[in-house]
PDB file of all heavy atoms in Angstrom:
ATOM      1  N   TYR Z   1      66.600  -2.087 155.876  1.00  0.00           N
ATOM      2  CA  TYR Z   1      66.975  -3.193 156.759  1.00  0.00           C
ATOM      3  C   TYR Z   1      67.700  -2.662 157.992  1.00  0.00           C
ATOM      4  O   TYR Z   1      68.415  -1.667 157.930  1.00  0.00           O
ATOM      5  CB  TYR Z   1      67.904  -4.176 156.037  1.00  0.00           C
ATOM      6  CG  TYR Z   1      67.247  -5.042 154.990  1.00  0.00           C
ATOM      7  CD1 TYR Z   1      65.934  -4.872 154.600  1.00  0.00           C
ATOM      8  CD2 TYR Z   1      67.982  -6.048 154.384  1.00  0.00           C
ATOM      9  CE1 TYR Z   1      65.360  -5.689 153.630  1.00  0.00           C
ATOM     10  CE2 TYR Z   1      67.415  -6.870 153.410  1.00  0.00           C
ATOM     11  CZ  TYR Z   1      66.102  -6.664 153.046  1.00  0.00           C
ATOM     12  OH  TYR Z   1      65.545  -7.468 152.098  1.00  0.00           O
ATOM     13  N   ARG Z   2      67.526  -3.352 159.087  1.00  0.00           N
ATOM     14  CA  ARG Z   2      68.233  -3.010 160.317  1.00  0.00           C
ATOM     15  C   ARG Z   2      69.603  -3.699 160.299  1.00  0.00           C
ATOM     16  O   ARG Z   2      69.692  -4.873 159.995  1.00  0.00           O
ATOM     17  CB  ARG Z   2      67.447  -3.507 161.541  1.00  0.00           C
ATOM     18  CG  ARG Z   2      66.142  -2.803 161.763  1.00  0.00           C
ATOM     19  CD  ARG Z   2      65.281  -3.604 162.755  1.00  0.00           C
ATOM     20  NE  ARG Z   2      64.062  -2.909 163.085  1.00  0.00           N
ATOM     21  CZ  ARG Z   2      62.940  -2.975 162.380  1.00  0.00           C
ATOM     22  NH1 ARG Z   2      62.886  -3.714 161.291  1.00  0.00           N
ATOM     23  NH2 ARG Z   2      61.876  -2.312 162.774  1.00  0.00           N
ATOM     24  N   LYS Z   3      70.633  -2.954 160.683  1.00  0.00           N
ATOM     25  CA  LYS Z   3      71.979  -3.515 160.766  1.00  0.00           C
ATOM     26  C   LYS Z   3      72.443  -3.347 162.208  1.00  0.00           C
ATOM     27  O   LYS Z   3      72.541  -2.243 162.724  1.00  0.00           O
ATOM     28  CB  LYS Z   3      72.922  -2.789 159.799  1.00  0.00           C
ATOM     29  CG  LYS Z   3      74.317  -3.372 159.761  1.00  0.00           C
ATOM     30  CD  LYS Z   3      75.151  -2.780 158.639  1.00  0.00           C
ATOM     31  CE  LYS Z   3      75.740  -1.472 159.062  1.00  0.00           C
ATOM     32  NZ  LYS Z   3      76.722  -0.952 158.076  1.00  0.00           N
ATOM     33  N   TYR Z   4      72.691  -4.485 162.865  1.00  0.00           N
ATOM     34  CA  TYR Z   4      73.061  -4.494 164.274  1.00  0.00           C
ATOM     35  C   TYR Z   4      74.565  -4.631 164.439  1.00  0.00           C
ATOM     36  O   TYR Z   4      75.210  -5.385 163.721  1.00  0.00           O
ATOM     37  CB  TYR Z   4      72.370  -5.656 164.990  1.00  0.00           C
ATOM     38  CG  TYR Z   4      70.873  -5.491 165.052  1.00  0.00           C
ATOM     39  CD1 TYR Z   4      70.057  -5.998 164.049  1.00  0.00           C
ATOM     40  CD2 TYR Z   4      70.276  -4.824 166.108  1.00  0.00           C
ATOM     41  CE1 TYR Z   4      68.687  -5.837 164.101  1.00  0.00           C
ATOM     42  CE2 TYR Z   4      68.906  -4.660 166.167  1.00  0.00           C
ATOM     43  CZ  TYR Z   4      68.111  -5.169 165.162  1.00  0.00           C
ATOM     44  OH  TYR Z   4      66.753  -5.003 165.216  1.00  0.00           O
ATOM     45  N   ALA Z   5      75.105  -3.915 165.409  1.00  0.00           N
ATOM     46  CA  ALA Z   5      76.521  -4.022 165.749  1.00  0.00           C
ATOM     47  C   ALA Z   5      76.748  -5.311 166.521  1.00  0.00           C
ATOM     48  O   ALA Z   5      75.822  -5.876 167.111  1.00  0.00           O
ATOM     49  CB  ALA Z   5      76.942  -2.824 166.601  1.00  0.00           C
ATOM     50  N   ASP Z   6      77.976  -5.765 166.542  1.00  0.00           N
ATOM     51  CA  ASP Z   6      78.318  -6.968 167.293  1.00  0.00           C
ATOM     52  C   ASP Z   6      77.949  -6.803 168.772  1.00  0.00           C
ATOM     53  O   ASP Z   6      77.496  -7.745 169.411  1.00  0.00           O
ATOM     54  CB  ASP Z   6      79.808  -7.272 167.143  1.00  0.00           C
ATOM     55  CG  ASP Z   6      80.185  -8.601 167.733  1.00  0.00           C
ATOM     56  OD1 ASP Z   6      79.489  -9.601 167.454  1.00  0.00           O
ATOM     57  OD2 ASP Z   6      81.168  -8.652 168.485  1.00  0.00           O
ATOM     58  N   SER Z   7      78.095  -5.595 169.300  1.00  0.00           N
ATOM     59  CA  SER Z   7      77.769  -5.343 170.713  1.00  0.00           C
ATOM     60  C   SER Z   7      76.281  -5.525 171.013  1.00  0.00           C
ATOM     61  O   SER Z   7      75.899  -5.722 172.173  1.00  0.00           O
ATOM     62  CB  SER Z   7      78.213  -3.937 171.111  1.00  0.00           C
ATOM     63  OG  SER Z   7      77.537  -2.974 170.317  1.00  0.00           O
ATOM     64  N   ASP Z   8      75.429  -5.481 169.985  1.00  0.00           N
ATOM     65  CA  ASP Z   8      73.997  -5.674 170.210  1.00  0.00           C
ATOM     66  C   ASP Z   8      73.671  -7.100 170.651  1.00  0.00           C
ATOM     67  O   ASP Z   8      72.666  -7.322 171.319  1.00  0.00           O
ATOM     68  CB  ASP Z   8      73.194  -5.314 168.956  1.00  0.00           C
ATOM     69  CG  ASP Z   8      73.136  -3.813 168.723  1.00  0.00           C
ATOM     70  OD1 ASP Z   8      73.154  -3.053 169.718  1.00  0.00           O
ATOM     71  OD2 ASP Z   8      73.073  -3.399 167.551  1.00  0.00           O
ATOM     72  N   THR Z   9      74.511  -8.056 170.306  1.00  0.00           N
ATOM     73  CA  THR Z   9      74.294  -9.434 170.761  1.00  0.00           C
ATOM     74  C   THR Z   9      74.325  -9.473 172.286  1.00  0.00           C
ATOM     75  O   THR Z   9      73.412 -10.004 172.924  1.00  0.00           O
ATOM     76  CB  THR Z   9      75.357 -10.386 170.172  1.00  0.00           C
ATOM     77  OG1 THR Z   9      75.253 -10.361 168.744  1.00  0.00           O
ATOM     78  CG2 THR Z   9      75.163 -11.804 170.670  1.00  0.00           C
ATOM     79  N   ALA Z  10      75.359  -8.891 172.874  1.00  0.00           N
ATOM     80  CA  ALA Z  10      75.461  -8.857 174.337  1.00  0.00           C
ATOM     81  C   ALA Z  10      74.342  -8.024 174.933  1.00  0.00           C
ATOM     82  O   ALA Z  10      73.794  -8.370 175.985  1.00  0.00           O
ATOM     83  CB  ALA Z  10      76.822  -8.310 174.756  1.00  0.00           C
ATOM     84  N   ALA Z  11      73.961  -6.930 174.282  1.00  0.00           N
ATOM     85  CA  ALA Z  11      72.885  -6.078 174.797  1.00  0.00           C
ATOM     86  C   ALA Z  11      71.567  -6.853 174.860  1.00  0.00           C
ATOM     87  O   ALA Z  11      70.838  -6.757 175.857  1.00  0.00           O
ATOM     88  CB  ALA Z  11      72.729  -4.828 173.934  1.00  0.00           C
ATOM     89  N   VAL Z  12      71.266  -7.624 173.830  1.00  0.00           N
ATOM     90  CA  VAL Z  12      70.022  -8.411 173.832  1.00  0.00           C
ATOM     91  C   VAL Z  12      70.039  -9.424 174.971  1.00  0.00           C
ATOM     92  O   VAL Z  12      69.038  -9.610 175.671  1.00  0.00           O
ATOM     93  CB  VAL Z  12      69.790  -9.107 172.470  1.00  0.00           C
ATOM     94  CG1 VAL Z  12      68.647 -10.112 172.551  1.00  0.00           C
ATOM     95  CG2 VAL Z  12      69.513  -8.066 171.396  1.00  0.00           C
ATOM     96  N   LEU Z  13      71.174 -10.063 175.186  1.00  0.00           N
ATOM     97  CA  LEU Z  13      71.270 -11.041 176.274  1.00  0.00           C
ATOM     98  C   LEU Z  13      71.092 -10.355 177.630  1.00  0.00           C
ATOM     99  O   LEU Z  13      70.443 -10.904 178.535  1.00  0.00           O
ATOM    100  CB  LEU Z  13      72.589 -11.796 176.196  1.00  0.00           C
ATOM    101  CG  LEU Z  13      72.752 -12.649 174.925  1.00  0.00           C
ATOM    102  CD1 LEU Z  13      74.140 -13.266 174.868  1.00  0.00           C
ATOM    103  CD2 LEU Z  13      71.667 -13.703 174.816  1.00  0.00           C
ATOM    104  N   ARG Z  14      71.616  -9.127 177.775  1.00  0.00           N
ATOM    105  CA  ARG Z  14      71.407  -8.381 179.026  1.00  0.00           C
ATOM    106  C   ARG Z  14      69.946  -7.983 179.181  1.00  0.00           C
ATOM    107  O   ARG Z  14      69.388  -8.063 180.269  1.00  0.00           O
ATOM    108  CB  ARG Z  14      72.318  -7.147 179.061  1.00  0.00           C
ATOM    109  CG  ARG Z  14      73.780  -7.502 179.268  1.00  0.00           C
ATOM    110  CD  ARG Z  14      74.636  -6.295 179.612  1.00  0.00           C
ATOM    111  NE  ARG Z  14      74.518  -5.169 178.713  1.00  0.00           N
ATOM    112  CZ  ARG Z  14      75.243  -4.981 177.607  1.00  0.00           C
ATOM    113  NH1 ARG Z  14      76.139  -5.879 177.248  1.00  0.00           N
ATOM    114  NH2 ARG Z  14      75.082  -3.913 176.872  1.00  0.00           N
ATOM    115  N   ILE Z  15      69.318  -7.551 178.096  1.00  0.00           N
ATOM    116  CA  ILE Z  15      67.890  -7.191 178.140  1.00  0.00           C
ATOM    117  C   ILE Z  15      67.073  -8.381 178.602  1.00  0.00           C
ATOM    118  O   ILE Z  15      66.213  -8.267 179.477  1.00  0.00           O
ATOM    119  CB  ILE Z  15      67.408  -6.699 176.747  1.00  0.00           C
ATOM    120  CG1 ILE Z  15      68.040  -5.345 176.418  1.00  0.00           C
ATOM    121  CG2 ILE Z  15      65.888  -6.626 176.694  1.00  0.00           C
ATOM    122  CD1 ILE Z  15      67.917  -4.944 174.959  1.00  0.00           C
ATOM    123  N   ARG Z  16      67.348  -9.532 178.035  1.00  0.00           N
ATOM    124  CA  ARG Z  16      66.594 -10.741 178.412  1.00  0.00           C
ATOM    125  C   ARG Z  16      66.813 -11.107 179.871  1.00  0.00           C
ATOM    126  O   ARG Z  16      65.887 -11.524 180.563  1.00  0.00           O
ATOM    127  CB  ARG Z  16      66.956 -11.880 177.474  1.00  0.00           C
ATOM    128  CG  ARG Z  16      66.455 -11.569 176.053  1.00  0.00           C
ATOM    129  CD  ARG Z  16      66.651 -12.680 175.107  1.00  0.00           C
ATOM    130  NE  ARG Z  16      66.131 -13.915 175.650  1.00  0.00           N
ATOM    131  CZ  ARG Z  16      65.286 -14.712 175.033  1.00  0.00           C
ATOM    132  NH1 ARG Z  16      64.840 -14.395 173.856  1.00  0.00           N
ATOM    133  NH2 ARG Z  16      64.898 -15.840 175.576  1.00  0.00           N
ATOM    134  N   ALA Z  17      68.035 -10.944 180.369  1.00  0.00           N
ATOM    135  CA  ALA Z  17      68.319 -11.231 181.779  1.00  0.00           C
ATOM    136  C   ALA Z  17      67.556 -10.264 182.677  1.00  0.00           C
ATOM    137  O   ALA Z  17      66.990 -10.668 183.705  1.00  0.00           O
ATOM    138  CB  ALA Z  17      69.819 -11.147 182.047  1.00  0.00           C
ATOM    139  N   LEU Z  18      67.512  -8.992 182.300  1.00  0.00           N
ATOM    140  CA  LEU Z  18      66.799  -7.997 183.102  1.00  0.00           C
ATOM    141  C   LEU Z  18      65.295  -8.227 183.050  1.00  0.00           C
ATOM    142  O   LEU Z  18      64.593  -8.055 184.057  1.00  0.00           O
ATOM    143  CB  LEU Z  18      67.167  -6.588 182.646  1.00  0.00           C
ATOM    144  CG  LEU Z  18      68.623  -6.190 182.922  1.00  0.00           C
ATOM    145  CD1 LEU Z  18      69.004  -4.932 182.149  1.00  0.00           C
ATOM    146  CD2 LEU Z  18      68.870  -6.019 184.409  1.00  0.00           C
ATOM    147  N   LEU Z  19      64.777  -8.626 181.893  1.00  0.00           N
ATOM    148  CA  LEU Z  19      63.352  -8.979 181.799  1.00  0.00           C
ATOM    149  C   LEU Z  19      63.037 -10.175 182.690  1.00  0.00           C
ATOM    150  O   LEU Z  19      62.016 -10.202 183.369  1.00  0.00           O
ATOM    151  CB  LEU Z  19      62.964  -9.286 180.347  1.00  0.00           C
ATOM    152  CG  LEU Z  19      62.831  -8.084 179.422  1.00  0.00           C
ATOM    153  CD1 LEU Z  19      62.764  -8.547 177.967  1.00  0.00           C
ATOM    154  CD2 LEU Z  19      61.614  -7.252 179.784  1.00  0.00           C
ATOM    155  N   ALA Z  20      63.930 -11.159 182.699  1.00  0.00           N
ATOM    156  CA  ALA Z  20      63.732 -12.347 183.543  1.00  0.00           C
ATOM    157  C   ALA Z  20      63.752 -11.983 185.022  1.00  0.00           C
ATOM    158  O   ALA Z  20      63.133 -12.665 185.841  1.00  0.00           O
ATOM    159  CB  ALA Z  20      64.812 -13.389 183.244  1.00  0.00           C
ATOM    160  N   ALA Z  21      64.426 -10.882 185.364  1.00  0.00           N
ATOM    161  CA  ALA Z  21      64.461 -10.416 186.754  1.00  0.00           C
ATOM    162  C   ALA Z  21      63.198  -9.640 187.110  1.00  0.00           C
ATOM    163  O   ALA Z  21      63.064  -9.175 188.238  1.00  0.00           O
ATOM    164  CB  ALA Z  21      65.691  -9.543 186.984  1.00  0.00           C
ATOM    165  N   GLY Z  22      62.287  -9.510 186.153  1.00  0.00           N
ATOM    166  CA  GLY Z  22      61.015  -8.849 186.433  1.00  0.00           C
ATOM    167  C   GLY Z  22      60.982  -7.372 186.117  1.00  0.00           C
ATOM    168  O   GLY Z  22      60.011  -6.692 186.461  1.00  0.00           O
ATOM    169  N   LEU Z  23      62.001  -6.845 185.451  1.00  0.00           N
ATOM    170  CA  LEU Z  23      62.009  -5.421 185.140  1.00  0.00           C
ATOM    171  C   LEU Z  23      61.245  -5.142 183.859  1.00  0.00           C
ATOM    172  O   LEU Z  23      61.426  -5.848 182.861  1.00  0.00           O
ATOM    173  CB  LEU Z  23      63.442  -4.916 184.985  1.00  0.00           C
ATOM    174  CG  LEU Z  23      64.332  -5.001 186.215  1.00  0.00           C
ATOM    175  CD1 LEU Z  23      65.737  -4.524 185.882  1.00  0.00           C
ATOM    176  CD2 LEU Z  23      63.760  -4.187 187.351  1.00  0.00           C
ATOM    177  N   PRO Z  24      60.402  -4.120 183.845  1.00  0.00           N
ATOM    178  CA  PRO Z  24      59.729  -3.734 182.601  1.00  0.00           C
ATOM    179  C   PRO Z  24      60.695  -2.968 181.700  1.00  0.00           C
ATOM    180  O   PRO Z  24      61.717  -2.442 182.157  1.00  0.00           O
ATOM    181  CB  PRO Z  24      58.590  -2.819 183.088  1.00  0.00           C
ATOM    182  CG  PRO Z  24      59.068  -2.269 184.389  1.00  0.00           C
ATOM    183  CD  PRO Z  24      59.961  -3.331 184.986  1.00  0.00           C
ATOM    184  N   THR Z  25      60.371  -2.879 180.422  1.00  0.00           N
ATOM    185  CA  THR Z  25      61.282  -2.237 179.472  1.00  0.00           C
ATOM    186  C   THR Z  25      61.543  -0.777 179.822  1.00  0.00           C
ATOM    187  O   THR Z  25      62.646  -0.281 179.588  1.00  0.00           O
ATOM    188  CB  THR Z  25      60.764  -2.339 178.025  1.00  0.00           C
ATOM    189  OG1 THR Z  25      59.444  -1.785 177.959  1.00  0.00           O
ATOM    190  CG2 THR Z  25      60.765  -3.773 177.537  1.00  0.00           C
ATOM    191  N   ARG Z  26      60.583  -0.068 180.419  1.00  0.00           N
ATOM    192  CA  ARG Z  26      60.811   1.344 180.765  1.00  0.00           C
ATOM    193  C   ARG Z  26      61.924   1.471 181.809  1.00  0.00           C
ATOM    194  O   ARG Z  26      62.693   2.419 181.781  1.00  0.00           O
ATOM    195  CB  ARG Z  26      59.533   2.024 181.226  1.00  0.00           C
ATOM    196  CG  ARG Z  26      58.981   1.512 182.516  1.00  0.00           C
ATOM    197  CD  ARG Z  26      57.712   2.221 182.972  1.00  0.00           C
ATOM    198  NE  ARG Z  26      57.057   1.484 184.010  1.00  0.00           N
ATOM    199  CZ  ARG Z  26      57.536   1.309 185.237  1.00  0.00           C
ATOM    200  NH1 ARG Z  26      58.666   1.867 185.571  1.00  0.00           N
ATOM    201  NH2 ARG Z  26      56.880   0.595 186.128  1.00  0.00           N
ATOM    202  N   VAL Z  27      62.030   0.491 182.725  1.00  0.00           N
ATOM    203  CA  VAL Z  27      63.109   0.497 183.722  1.00  0.00           C
ATOM    204  C   VAL Z  27      64.404   0.019 183.078  1.00  0.00           C
ATOM    205  O   VAL Z  27      65.477   0.570 183.326  1.00  0.00           O
ATOM    206  CB  VAL Z  27      62.736  -0.360 184.948  1.00  0.00           C
ATOM    207  CG1 VAL Z  27      63.913  -0.489 185.912  1.00  0.00           C
ATOM    208  CG2 VAL Z  27      61.524   0.235 185.665  1.00  0.00           C
ATOM    209  N   ILE Z  28      64.304  -0.993 182.228  1.00  0.00           N
ATOM    210  CA  ILE Z  28      65.499  -1.514 181.548  1.00  0.00           C
ATOM    211  C   ILE Z  28      66.157  -0.417 180.716  1.00  0.00           C
ATOM    212  O   ILE Z  28      67.379  -0.317 180.677  1.00  0.00           O
ATOM    213  CB  ILE Z  28      65.151  -2.743 180.693  1.00  0.00           C
ATOM    214  CG1 ILE Z  28      64.742  -3.905 181.596  1.00  0.00           C
ATOM    215  CG2 ILE Z  28      66.339  -3.140 179.807  1.00  0.00           C
ATOM    216  CD1 ILE Z  28      64.217  -5.115 180.861  1.00  0.00           C
ATOM    217  N   ARG Z  29      65.363   0.446 180.086  1.00  0.00           N
ATOM    218  CA  ARG Z  29      65.916   1.546 179.289  1.00  0.00           C
ATOM    219  C   ARG Z  29      66.836   2.417 180.149  1.00  0.00           C
ATOM    220  O   ARG Z  29      67.863   2.894 179.697  1.00  0.00           O
ATOM    221  CB  ARG Z  29      64.791   2.394 178.698  1.00  0.00           C
ATOM    222  CG  ARG Z  29      65.254   3.417 177.702  1.00  0.00           C
ATOM    223  CD  ARG Z  29      64.127   4.239 177.059  1.00  0.00           C
ATOM    224  NE  ARG Z  29      62.879   3.549 176.859  1.00  0.00           N
ATOM    225  CZ  ARG Z  29      61.768   3.700 177.623  1.00  0.00           C
ATOM    226  NH1 ARG Z  29      61.762   4.496 178.628  1.00  0.00           N
ATOM    227  NH2 ARG Z  29      60.676   3.037 177.372  1.00  0.00           N
ATOM    228  N   HIS Z  30      66.472   2.592 181.399  1.00  0.00           N
ATOM    229  CA  HIS Z  30      67.268   3.403 182.322  1.00  0.00           C
ATOM    230  C   HIS Z  30      68.484   2.628 182.846  1.00  0.00           C
ATOM    231  O   HIS Z  30      69.550   3.200 183.033  1.00  0.00           O
ATOM    232  CB  HIS Z  30      66.366   3.837 183.482  1.00  0.00           C
ATOM    233  CG  HIS Z  30      67.003   4.769 184.443  1.00  0.00           C
ATOM    234  ND1 HIS Z  30      67.277   6.077 184.151  1.00  0.00           N
ATOM    235  CD2 HIS Z  30      67.431   4.572 185.704  1.00  0.00           C
ATOM    236  CE1 HIS Z  30      67.847   6.645 185.186  1.00  0.00           C
ATOM    237  NE2 HIS Z  30      67.957   5.758 186.150  1.00  0.00           N
ATOM    238  N   VAL Z  31      68.306   1.327 183.077  1.00  0.00           N
ATOM    239  CA  VAL Z  31      69.342   0.497 183.700  1.00  0.00           C
ATOM    240  C   VAL Z  31      70.359  -0.027 182.686  1.00  0.00           C
ATOM    241  O   VAL Z  31      71.549  -0.154 183.005  1.00  0.00           O
ATOM    242  CB  VAL Z  31      68.675  -0.688 184.449  1.00  0.00           C
ATOM    243  CG1 VAL Z  31      69.701  -1.691 184.944  1.00  0.00           C
ATOM    244  CG2 VAL Z  31      67.825  -0.175 185.599  1.00  0.00           C
ATOM    245  N   LEU Z  32      69.935  -0.317 181.478  1.00  0.00           N
ATOM    246  CA  LEU Z  32      70.787  -0.983 180.482  1.00  0.00           C
ATOM    247  C   LEU Z  32      72.145  -0.306 180.267  1.00  0.00           C
ATOM    248  O   LEU Z  32      73.165  -0.998 180.221  1.00  0.00           O
ATOM    249  CB  LEU Z  32      70.044  -1.131 179.159  1.00  0.00           C
ATOM    250  CG  LEU Z  32      70.708  -2.002 178.101  1.00  0.00           C
ATOM    251  CD1 LEU Z  32      70.874  -3.442 178.598  1.00  0.00           C
ATOM    252  CD2 LEU Z  32      69.898  -1.979 176.815  1.00  0.00           C
ATOM    253  N   PRO Z  33      72.208   1.015 180.164  1.00  0.00           N
ATOM    254  CA  PRO Z  33      73.527   1.628 179.966  1.00  0.00           C
ATOM    255  C   PRO Z  33      74.489   1.410 181.143  1.00  0.00           C
ATOM    256  O   PRO Z  33      75.684   1.620 181.010  1.00  0.00           O
ATOM    257  CB  PRO Z  33      73.214   3.123 179.810  1.00  0.00           C
ATOM    258  CG  PRO Z  33      71.787   3.183 179.432  1.00  0.00           C
ATOM    259  CD  PRO Z  33      71.135   1.997 180.081  1.00  0.00           C
ATOM    260  N   CYS Z  34      73.952   0.977 182.266  1.00  0.00           N
ATOM    261  CA  CYS Z  34      74.767   0.780 183.471  1.00  0.00           C
ATOM    262  C   CYS Z  34      75.056  -0.689 183.731  1.00  0.00           C
ATOM    263  O   CYS Z  34      75.437  -1.061 184.843  1.00  0.00           O
ATOM    264  CB  CYS Z  34      74.049   1.380 184.683  1.00  0.00           C
ATOM    265  SG  CYS Z  34      73.695   3.126 184.490  1.00  0.00           S
ATOM    266  N   THR Z  35      74.868  -1.547 182.724  1.00  0.00           N
ATOM    267  CA  THR Z  35      75.107  -2.977 182.908  1.00  0.00           C
ATOM    268  C   THR Z  35      76.417  -3.390 182.258  1.00  0.00           C
ATOM    269  O   THR Z  35      76.908  -2.743 181.338  1.00  0.00           O
ATOM    270  CB  THR Z  35      73.972  -3.833 182.312  1.00  0.00           C
ATOM    271  OG1 THR Z  35      73.870  -3.562 180.912  1.00  0.00           O
ATOM    272  CG2 THR Z  35      72.652  -3.569 182.992  1.00  0.00           C
ATOM    273  N   THR Z  36      76.950  -4.499 182.753  1.00  0.00           N
ATOM    274  CA  THR Z  36      78.148  -5.093 182.172  1.00  0.00           C
ATOM    275  C   THR Z  36      77.720  -6.243 181.270  1.00  0.00           C
ATOM    276  O   THR Z  36      76.536  -6.576 181.205  1.00  0.00           O
ATOM    277  CB  THR Z  36      79.067  -5.647 183.277  1.00  0.00           C
ATOM    278  OG1 THR Z  36      78.400  -6.738 183.923  1.00  0.00           O
ATOM    279  CG2 THR Z  36      79.425  -4.580 184.299  1.00  0.00           C
ATOM    280  N   ASP Z  37      78.657  -6.867 180.619  1.00  0.00           N
ATOM    281  CA  ASP Z  37      78.344  -7.998 179.747  1.00  0.00           C
ATOM    282  C   ASP Z  37      77.672  -9.145 180.488  1.00  0.00           C
ATOM    283  O   ASP Z  37      77.015  -9.972 179.894  1.00  0.00           O
ATOM    284  CB  ASP Z  37      79.601  -8.513 179.043  1.00  0.00           C
ATOM    285  CG  ASP Z  37      80.041  -7.577 177.930  1.00  0.00           C
ATOM    286  OD1 ASP Z  37      79.225  -6.745 177.489  1.00  0.00           O
ATOM    287  OD2 ASP Z  37      81.206  -7.680 177.506  1.00  0.00           O
ATOM    288  N   LYS Z  38      77.848  -9.224 181.786  1.00  0.00           N
ATOM    289  CA  LYS Z  38      77.253 -10.302 182.578  1.00  0.00           C
ATOM    290  C   LYS Z  38      75.924  -9.875 183.188  1.00  0.00           C
ATOM    291  O   LYS Z  38      75.403 -10.526 184.067  1.00  0.00           O
ATOM    292  CB  LYS Z  38      78.217 -10.704 183.704  1.00  0.00           C
ATOM    293  CG  LYS Z  38      79.587 -11.108 183.210  1.00  0.00           C
ATOM    294  CD  LYS Z  38      79.692 -12.597 183.119  1.00  0.00           C
ATOM    295  CE  LYS Z  38      81.092 -13.061 182.877  1.00  0.00           C
ATOM    296  NZ  LYS Z  38      81.515 -13.103 181.519  1.00  0.00           N
ATOM    297  N   ALA Z  39      75.391  -8.734 182.756  1.00  0.00           N
ATOM    298  CA  ALA Z  39      74.127  -8.170 183.237  1.00  0.00           C
ATOM    299  C   ALA Z  39      74.225  -7.663 184.667  1.00  0.00           C
ATOM    300  O   ALA Z  39      73.224  -7.370 185.290  1.00  0.00           O
ATOM    301  CB  ALA Z  39      72.961  -9.148 183.083  1.00  0.00           C
ATOM    302  N   ALA Z  40      75.446  -7.536 185.183  1.00  0.00           N
ATOM    303  CA  ALA Z  40      75.619  -6.918 186.495  1.00  0.00           C
ATOM    304  C   ALA Z  40      75.372  -5.422 186.346  1.00  0.00           C
ATOM    305  O   ALA Z  40      75.755  -4.820 185.348  1.00  0.00           O
ATOM    306  CB  ALA Z  40      77.032  -7.171 187.024  1.00  0.00           C
ATOM    307  N   VAL Z  41      74.724  -4.826 187.321  1.00  0.00           N
ATOM    308  CA  VAL Z  41      74.386  -3.413 187.248  1.00  0.00           C
ATOM    309  C   VAL Z  41      75.425  -2.603 188.020  1.00  0.00           C
ATOM    310  O   VAL Z  41      75.731  -2.903 189.173  1.00  0.00           O
ATOM    311  CB  VAL Z  41      72.969  -3.161 187.814  1.00  0.00           C
ATOM    312  CG1 VAL Z  41      72.626  -1.683 187.769  1.00  0.00           C
ATOM    313  CG2 VAL Z  41      71.937  -3.972 187.035  1.00  0.00           C
ATOM    314  N   GLN Z  42      75.948  -1.596 187.362  1.00  0.00           N
ATOM    315  CA  GLN Z  42      76.900  -0.681 187.974  1.00  0.00           C
ATOM    316  C   GLN Z  42      76.130   0.452 188.651  1.00  0.00           C
ATOM    317  O   GLN Z  42      75.023   0.776 188.245  1.00  0.00           O
ATOM    318  CB  GLN Z  42      77.837  -0.111 186.907  1.00  0.00           C
ATOM    319  CG  GLN Z  42      78.607  -1.156 186.132  1.00  0.00           C
ATOM    320  CD  GLN Z  42      79.498  -1.985 187.034  1.00  0.00           C
ATOM    321  OE1 GLN Z  42      80.257  -1.464 187.833  1.00  0.00           O
ATOM    322  NE2 GLN Z  42      79.389  -3.298 186.930  1.00  0.00           N
TER     323      GLN Z  42
END
């Protein structure tokens, strides 16, 4: 079974926001570590 950390909830919400912005997952993989909880990109 997969066990997700509490922080994964926020990560999924950021992934969905980035997908909604038109980014493909290959770009999101690069950008995700640089996002804040509000999906703002650092």
Side-chain angles (χ1 to χ4, degrees):
Y1 287 7
R2 293 165 175 86
K3 184 171 83 172
Y4 293 90
D6 188 48
S7 61
D8 287 329
T9 299
V12 170
L13 296 175
R14 288 193 308 272
I15 291 165
R16 293 185 51 128
L18 293 166
L19 285 167
L23 297 177
T25 56
R26 66 179 166 68
V27 173
I28 293 173
R29 189 178 327 104
H30 185 72
V31 172
L32 190 61
C34 302
T35 60
T36 66
D37 286 342
K38 304 262 190 274
V41 179
Q42 302 299 310

